[in-house]
């Protein structure tokens, strides 16, 4: 029996025009007796899969913890405020 993909959520990828992220539950991903996984895929222009990772459910808690640690790390790095180089609250343009 082939793998069965059940869509959980699709959303627009930030800082892109029309790239999306699709999260799916996948039953029997590697054959009849394989355990289910979560698939996280990025689609370019909403159509062409450009990357994908499949994570066994046994690793989800560790994966989520690592994502939260990554967010904390990102937020701890000092950055210039957006548009600071323009000394303005909004972007430039002619």
């Amino acid at each position: 029996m082939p793998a069965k993909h059940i869509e959980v959520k699709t959303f627009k990828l930030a800082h892109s025009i029309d790239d999306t992220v699709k999260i799916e539950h996948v039953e029997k991903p590697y054959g009849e007796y394989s355990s289910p996984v979560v698939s996280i895929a990025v689609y370019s222009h909403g159509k062409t899969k450009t990357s994908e990772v499949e994570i066994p459910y046994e690793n989800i808690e560790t994966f989520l913890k690592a994502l939260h640690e990554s967010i904390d790390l990102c937020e701890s790095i000092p950055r210039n405020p957006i548009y600071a180089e323009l000394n303005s609250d909004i972007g430039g343009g002619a």
Side-chain angles (χ1 to χ4, degrees):
M1 177 177 214
K4 180 179 179 182
H5 293 250
I6 302 168
E7 186 173 335
V8 175
K9 185 167 187 87
T10 298
F11 56 92
K12 183 182 178 309
L13 187 63
H15 310 290
S16 72
I17 294 174
D18 57 1
D19 292 350
T20 58
V21 175
K22 183 185 283 188
I23 300 174
E24 295 178 318
H25 168 86
V26 184
E27 281 290 324
K28 302 178 183 178
Y30 311 113
E32 187 65 30
Y33 302 105
S34 61
S35 296
V37 297
V38 173
S39 168
I40 303 168
V42 176
Y43 288 82
S44 178
H45 307 295
K47 298 175 188 162
T48 306
K49 188 185 301 184
T50 58
S51 62
E52 178 180 22
V53 62
E54 293 179 339
I55 303 168
Y57 278 92
E58 293 83 0
N59 296 115
I60 290 293
E61 289 302 320
T62 303
F63 178 76
L64 292 173
K65 183 179 177 191
L67 287 177
H68 286 288
E69 290 171 3
S70 180
I71 291 168
D72 292 343
L73 173 65
C74 182
E75 290 174 349
S76 74
I77 298 171
R79 292 188 175 74
N80 292 329
I82 192 165
Y83 307 124
E85 74 279 4
L86 301 174
N87 196 23
S88 173
D89 291 335
I90 61 171

